[in-house]
Amino acid sequence: MKKILNYINGEFKAPLQDEWIDNYNPSIGEVYSLIPNSSTADVQNAYEAASQAFPTWSETPLEQRSRILAKIASLITENLEQLAKAEAIDNGKPLSLATSVDIPRASTNFQFFADAITQFSSEAHESTGLNAINFTLRQPIGVVGCISPWNLPLYLFSWKIAPALAAGNTVVAKPSEVTPMTAYLLGDICTKAGLPKGVLNIIHGLGSTAGQAIIEHSGIKAISFTGGTTTGAHIARVAAPMFKKLSLELGGKNPNLIFADCDYDTMLDVTIKSSFANQGQICLCNSRIYIERPIYEKFKKDFIAKTKALKIGSPLDNNTNIGALVSKPHLEKVKSYIDAAEQEGGTILCGGDYVNVKGHENGYYLQPTIIEVNDPNCRLTQEEIFGPVVTIMPFDSDDEALALANNVRYGLSCSIWTNNLNRSMHLAKYIQAGIVWVNTWMMRDLRTAFGGTKDSGVGREGGFEALRFFTEPKNVCIKY
Ligand code: NDP
């Protein structure tokens, strides 16, 4: 069986204790590779390699760093087909999605930060009347830790690694144990791109051991983490006494506010995507849909019809809209919410069952599910389900829509569908979220600040925000 290996000091290495974890193909429910069950000792080796590489990498001229990152970007594009297939098999997502979104975006992440670092500059302030000038040095932090989840594997892994490297840090990174394959393939790409040994080290293994060793390591001075809110809170507790710099991108329970005056057809098309893209496993998915009452019944009918038309099947089939969920435990967790729907006062309007895909009988398939709810405080509208499950509910006024939108512990993103400029401006101002989309969803300009408020995290990534996170500002004051 194929073995995935750690990438330490530019070389592929088996875990020191020779322990391995099964890696499942979720579309068929079978183990298809083994990944290292890395220990603290493996993380220590990765740390030492990163630590040794830091002085040279941090002094490498920007143009050279930028050229290497751009080369990684172009090699990802050259290997698009192989990487997209690997992602679809490892994660269960449709190959068409991996080909059109995940892998191109991973390449763009490297290219974006290859360019951004050449434009990143710091401030200078003349202290008028004091004959002094202040300027800010933006220095790389040292060895940093990047930990990413399974839903958009290479996309989110590269979203952290690219700015960390661009800013001159060296990295110990861990992808999710559930989706390690494209991170493994990235190691070879980095070598081919000429990334010096030890600058990027990729450790595979469990969050509770390998991940824990990264966050506990006193030499790793910053952690960029994307994942669940509970894990984020744990990381914050471990890191706080060591005063590590933290960027936490956590869970979401995002509202989709649909007003009667919206551009209906566009809204419906995009709402299908914002509900069920990637089997609903995107932190930005809008899982709580609130609809203004005059169009509620029409929306309900049309939304159900469009949802029923989605094709559930093998990720590798070109016609598939909905692939497999990422793992059996996750499938069961999502299904348990559907099973609790009635008890929570909800009515399942469509979907709700497992799907038996011919030839893939043991795969983790679930119907896209719409649940009508009447209680905005029920578990279905309060807890992150992170699967192809949405709730719908009508509202009667702008104030009610705003109150419903803000009635959760999370604050990642939101969509508002209306052609009323005053309304969208008012709501955008008062909605508690890091990102507000008006008449769209998941439209990303990589220069913008990305992140959440409330229990969706702290800190921002994206553009210069990411470069600020991965550098330490130092004030220098010169009296003349
Ligand atoms: P987890 O929090 O379970 O895991 C995320 C990563 O952290 C994985 O690599 C995991 O490893 C690792 N990890 C787990 N425990 C520890 C630990 N003690 N120390 C260090 N690392 C640890 O999240 P999921 O992978 O289940 O991802 C889904 C979650 O991610 C959802 O809540 C989703 O909303 C959120 N997310 C947020 C985004 C955002 O930008 N705000 C974007 C995408 C997802 P392992 O997998 O091996 O356990």
Side-chain angles (χ1 to χ4, degrees):
M1 183 151 316
K2 182 169 177 57
K3 278 183 171 166
I4 284 172
L5 298 169
N6 289 330
Y7 180 70
I8 299 175
N9 206 23
E11 286 170 19
F12 286 102
K13 294 251 166 74
L16 292 170
Q17 292 176 349
D18 200 29
E19 285 178 10
W20 303 85
I21 307 167
D22 290 340
N23 183 28
Y24 283 81
N25 172 343
S27 72
I28 53 172
E30 282 174 19
V31 176
Y32 81 108
S33 67
L34 296 174
I35 76 161
N37 185 3
S38 301
S39 63
T40 305
D42 296 299
V43 170
Q44 180 60 25
N45 282 350
Y47 169 76
E48 280 166 18
S51 192
Q52 275 167 24
F54 178 72
T56 307
W57 181 246
S58 58
E59 291 295 333
T60 299
L62 284 191
E63 289 68 22
Q64 200 175 329
R65 269 192 235 153
S66 171
R67 260 200 309 277
I68 293 171
L69 294 187
K71 182 71 184 162
I72 296 174
S74 68
L75 286 175
I76 291 175
T77 303
E78 273 175 37
N79 290 284
L80 172 71
E81 224 173 290
Q82 181 208 14
L83 289 165
K85 196 166 173 200
E87 202 75 293
I89 291 172
D90 214 27
N91 172 279
K93 68 176 67 215
L95 177 59
S96 56
L97 188 69
T99 307
S100 61
V101 177
D102 288 73
I103 307 306
R105 174 59 192 278
S107 171
T108 303
N109 287 340
F110 278 104
Q111 185 61 55
F112 177 86
F113 284 106
D115 295 334
I117 195 62
T118 66
Q119 306 298 315
F120 186 53
S121 56
S122 50
E123 312 85 38
H125 309 93
E126 190 194 358
S127 300
T128 312
L130 298 175
N131 280 353
I133 182 123
N134 285 276
F135 63 90
T136 307
L137 287 176
R138 280 262 163 202
Q139 296 175 310
I141 296 168
V143 180
V144 300
C146 298
I147 301 176
S148 59
W150 47 256
N151 61 332
L152 301 166
L154 193 61
Y155 177 130
L156 289 176
F157 198 57
S158 53
W159 180 236
K160 299 180 175 306
I161 289 169
L165 297 178
N169 302 283
T170 54
V171 175
V172 177
K174 191 192 94 63
S176 169
E177 139 233 347
V178 188
T179 53
M181 190 55 89
T182 47
Y184 168 59
L185 297 172
L186 182 68
D188 196 37
I189 286 176
C190 288
T191 302
K192 286 190 176 127
L195 191 71
K197 283 173 193 272
V199 171
L200 171 64
N201 304 276
I202 302 170
I203 290 285
H204 298 276
L206 298 172
S208 54
T209 48
Q212 184 72 19
I214 293 174
I215 62 170
E216 276 178 352
H217 200 295
S218 60
I220 297 179
K221 299 292 183 200
I223 303 283
S224 173
F225 169 81
T226 298
T229 295
T230 309
T231 316
H234 169 76
I235 291 174
R237 275 193 299 274
V238 173
M242 289 177 270
F243 307 107
K244 289 184 193 224
K245 220 173 167 186
L246 280 186
S247 169
L248 303 174
E249 302 289 339
L250 310 177
K253 189 73 183 175
N254 312 307
N256 190 4
L257 305 181
I258 300 172
F259 288 85
D261 70 346
C262 71
D263 183 344
Y264 186 84
D265 292 340
T266 309
M267 175 281 295
L268 194 61
D269 283 346
V270 176
T271 294
I272 284 287
K273 293 196 185 105
S274 69
S275 303
F276 303 122
N278 205 40
Q279 298 71 246
Q281 303 165 135
I282 303 179
C283 53
L284 302 168
C285 275
N286 290 331
S287 53
R288 297 182 293 138
I289 309 179
Y290 297 110
I291 307 105
E292 205 175 8
R293 197 170 307 267
I295 60 163
Y296 184 68
E297 290 303 326
K298 176 175 165 51
F299 172 81
K300 191 162 130 180
K301 185 167 121 293
D302 295 342
F303 187 45
I304 292 172
K306 271 201 177 268
T307 301
K308 282 188 170 163
L310 293 171
K311 195 173 170 311
I312 307 153
S314 162
L316 300 185
D317 181 341
N318 276 338
N319 298 317
T320 292
N321 304 117
I322 307 273
L325 271 70
V326 75
S327 68
K328 190 139 200 232
H330 189 59
L331 173 78
E332 279 160 9
K333 183 195 138 190
V334 174
K335 182 68 165 65
S336 74
Y337 278 98
I338 297 172
D339 295 342
E342 254 178 51
Q343 202 185 321
E344 293 292 319
T347 308
I348 297 173
L349 299 178
C350 92
D353 260 325
Y354 295 117
V355 182
N356 206 339
V357 172
K358 204 158 174 277
H360 291 59
E361 283 76 11
N362 295 323
Y364 313 138
Y365 299 94
L366 192 63
Q367 292 174 324
T369 302
I370 305 170
I371 305 174
E372 186 172 49
V373 292
N374 50 33
D375 175 7
N377 295 314
C378 73
R379 283 181 58 218
L380 300 169
T381 53
Q382 291 296 317
E383 296 177 19
E384 187 185 38
I385 300 174
F386 214 56
V389 181
V390 295
T391 59
I392 66 168
M393 192 179 150
F395 66 82
D396 290 299
S397 68
D398 291 25
D399 285 349
E400 191 191 352
L402 179 63
L404 287 167
N406 288 341
N407 179 41
V408 282
R409 60 192 276 235
Y410 297 105
L412 187 54
S413 68
C414 168
S415 282
I416 304 167
W417 293 92
T418 178
N419 277 318
N420 181 328
L421 179 66
N422 287 336
R423 167 187 287 151
S424 57
M425 289 301 292
H426 178 79
L427 290 173
K429 183 170 173 189
Y430 291 106
I431 274 171
Q432 297 159 352
I435 304 147
V436 177
W437 281 297
V438 178
N439 297 329
T440 186
W441 173 71
M442 216 173 154
M443 187 177 270
R444 296 278 296 117
D445 178 326
L446 300 192
R447 292 169 300 181
T448 59
F450 180 91
T453 59
K454 294 158 83 176
D455 287 10
S456 291
V458 284
R460 291 293 182 274
E461 297 183 337
F464 289 161
E465 295 291 337
L467 296 176
R468 284 188 199 105
F469 173 76
F470 283 116
T471 51
E472 198 67 67
K474 182 189 284 172
N475 169 235
V476 181
C477 176
I478 301 174
K479 174 107 174 100
Y480 59 90

